[in-house]
Amino acid sequence: MKNILVIGSTGQIGSELTMKLRREYPGGKTVAGYIPGSEPKGILRDSGPFEEANVCNAQQIADIVDKYDIDTIYNLAALLSATAERLPLRAWDIQMNGLLNILEIAREKHCAVFTPSSIGSFGPSTPRMNTPQDTIQRPTSMYGVTKVATELLSDYYFYKYGVDTRSVRFPGLISYTTLPGGGTTDYAVEIYYAAVKGETYVCPIAPGTYMDMMYMPDALKAAVDIMRAKPQYLKHRNSFNIAAMSFTPEIIYEAIKKEIPDFKMRYEVDPVRQHIADSWPDKMDDSCARKEWGWAPTYNLESMTRDMIKHLREKLL
Ligand code: VAH
């Protein structure tokens, strides 16, 4: 993997993954793909090539693949779960028609493709604790429907055409660099900002709501490592459960209070995001990812909290 196109390079994952890929593959080109209105800025813009790359414009993507001799596409274009409930048809267009464009280009031009899935690909009938790698997936959100379809379509292109498609089911991702937008797990990022700014956090997710979560450095490590895995060891492809920690709002609140004792939080539950969160599992079993390509997280809640607060104090204060 040396010439890479990151579609959605200015989003929560893409903004950090693009920089990581540029560090990991200095001899190649990592192209930052963006859509109008979310152009790369600063170090993301200055550290490598960037191109307008709308996943729904197949010719535009194909031209970039030809121009830079792309061998790997990271397809991060998506509306997150709460936004996708507000704009279901737009979410389907981006996540499914867009994906079909990417897979067809990859088939014709022999590119590998990474398209993330999510805990959102599970639903109320999925086993909640130690969710198996292979299990029932009947999501009740449009986001979840597109994620299950993404997994199935990506596997289809692997089995039918030999396209090298790979994927992980991301938990909620937490980072201090780029705020997420429109996700059900966004609260786990917002809470750190409120704590560092000395504000009372108004939590949209009810107490007792467990969700899998992960610190962004571990998510980036997974996105790079899975594409480096030896294909002969992969029994699965789209998509691997990966896990790091599972917590409720009160658990993360207590972890932050250990570092910021006077931090306050109260609840104003958002029914849309609560309904989605209630349909997701509490904790995934990631033994297949560990066995097939050596996945292992580095951060737990305590070490993530210390690191988040340290960096947000530098960023905000
Ligand atoms: C969301 N952050 O909340 C995303 C993610 C597992 C959650 O898919 O929609």
Side-chain angles (χ1 to χ4, degrees):
M1 174 165 71
K2 55 191 181 310
N3 294 330
I4 306 160
L5 169 59
V6 180
I7 295 174
S9 69
T10 59
Q12 186 199 20
I13 301 171
S15 59
E16 297 192 61
L17 180 61
T18 306
M19 297 308 295
K20 181 175 179 72
L21 289 167
R22 286 176 174 167
R23 291 191 299 271
E24 296 282 337
Y25 298 98
K29 297 181 211 80
T30 296
V31 181
Y34 67 90
I35 53 172
S38 66
E39 289 75 4
K41 296 182 177 64
I43 185 75
L44 181 60
R45 179 188 179 88
D46 300 338
S47 60
F50 52 93
E51 296 277 354
E52 184 177 332
N54 181 336
V55 74
C56 294
N57 181 337
Q59 192 54 55
Q60 191 177 62
I61 302 295
D63 292 346
I64 296 169
V65 170
D66 290 342
K67 178 178 175 182
Y68 293 92
D69 187 21
I70 297 293
D71 54 65
T72 303
I73 300 172
Y74 277 85
N75 172 26
L76 306 178
L79 298 185
L80 295 183
S81 53
T83 304
E85 278 314 290
R86 200 161 38 80
L87 302 166
L89 301 186
R90 182 82 186 111
W92 181 269
D93 191 32
I94 294 171
Q95 273 122 268
M96 298 321 302
N97 296 330
L99 174 63
L100 199 57
N101 288 339
I102 298 297
L103 292 171
E104 274 296 289
I105 291 164
R107 180 175 63 79
E108 288 161 20
K109 300 177 187 290
H110 311 293
C111 303
V113 179
F114 173 91
T115 305
S117 182
S118 155
I119 55 174
S121 67
F122 299 118
S125 52
T126 303
R128 299 191 71 88
M129 279 308 287
N130 298 316
T131 304
Q133 173 63 43
D134 302 307
T135 188
I136 302 159
Q137 291 180 271
R138 302 287 294 178
T140 51
S141 68
M142 174 53 93
Y143 180 76
V145 168
T146 68
K147 286 306 179 185
V148 175
T150 290
E151 295 185 15
L152 295 173
L153 193 59
S154 299
D155 268 354
Y156 177 84
Y157 268 75
F158 170 67
Y159 290 114
K160 174 105 175 180
Y161 303 114
V163 177
D164 185 3
T165 57
R166 307 182 192 193
S167 173
V168 296
R169 291 171 184 146
F170 278 132
L173 300 183
I174 296 163
S175 84
Y176 54 84
T177 304
T178 305
L179 279 167
T184 300
T185 61
D186 293 0
Y187 92 90
V189 178
E190 296 160 356
I191 191 170
Y192 285 107
Y193 279 76
V196 167
K197 290 192 278 189
E199 297 165 356
T200 296
Y201 182 58
V202 182
C203 185
I205 299 294
T209 308
Y210 275 93
M211 284 189 272
D212 271 306
M213 299 282 183
M214 185 176 291
Y215 199 25
M216 187 60 80
D218 279 335
L220 302 180
K221 182 166 72 112
V224 172
D225 289 355
I226 188 169
M227 298 308 280
R228 279 179 174 152
K230 291 187 173 28
Q232 62 268 34
Y233 297 139
L234 297 179
K235 296 188 181 64
H236 297 84
R237 282 187 165 257
N238 305 282
S239 170
F240 281 92
N241 288 356
I242 56 169
M245 57 191 96
S246 171
F247 55 71
T248 63
E250 60 270 37
I251 290 173
I252 186 174
Y253 170 68
E254 289 305 328
I256 294 172
K257 268 175 71 76
K258 284 186 190 147
E259 307 292 326
I260 305 177
D262 57 355
F263 176 44
K264 298 273 184 297
M265 177 169 81
R266 61 183 174 80
Y267 295 91
E268 275 179 28
V269 175
D270 169 357
V272 171
R273 279 184 279 183
Q274 189 61 41
H275 179 71
I276 294 171
D278 288 342
S279 72
W280 291 351
D282 295 350
K283 187 181 180 313
M284 289 188 286
D285 167 7
D286 62 0
S287 52
C288 290
R290 291 170 186 263
K291 221 178 308 168
E292 296 177 36
W293 49 277
W295 158 251
T298 309
Y299 287 88
N300 61 23
L301 177 57
E302 287 66 33
S303 53
M304 173 178 72
T305 297
R306 282 194 297 276
D307 201 65
M308 277 290 284
I309 291 172
K310 170 178 169 288
H311 283 97
L312 285 178
R313 281 177 169 153
E314 290 163 6
K315 180 176 173 179
L316 302 174
L317 302 182

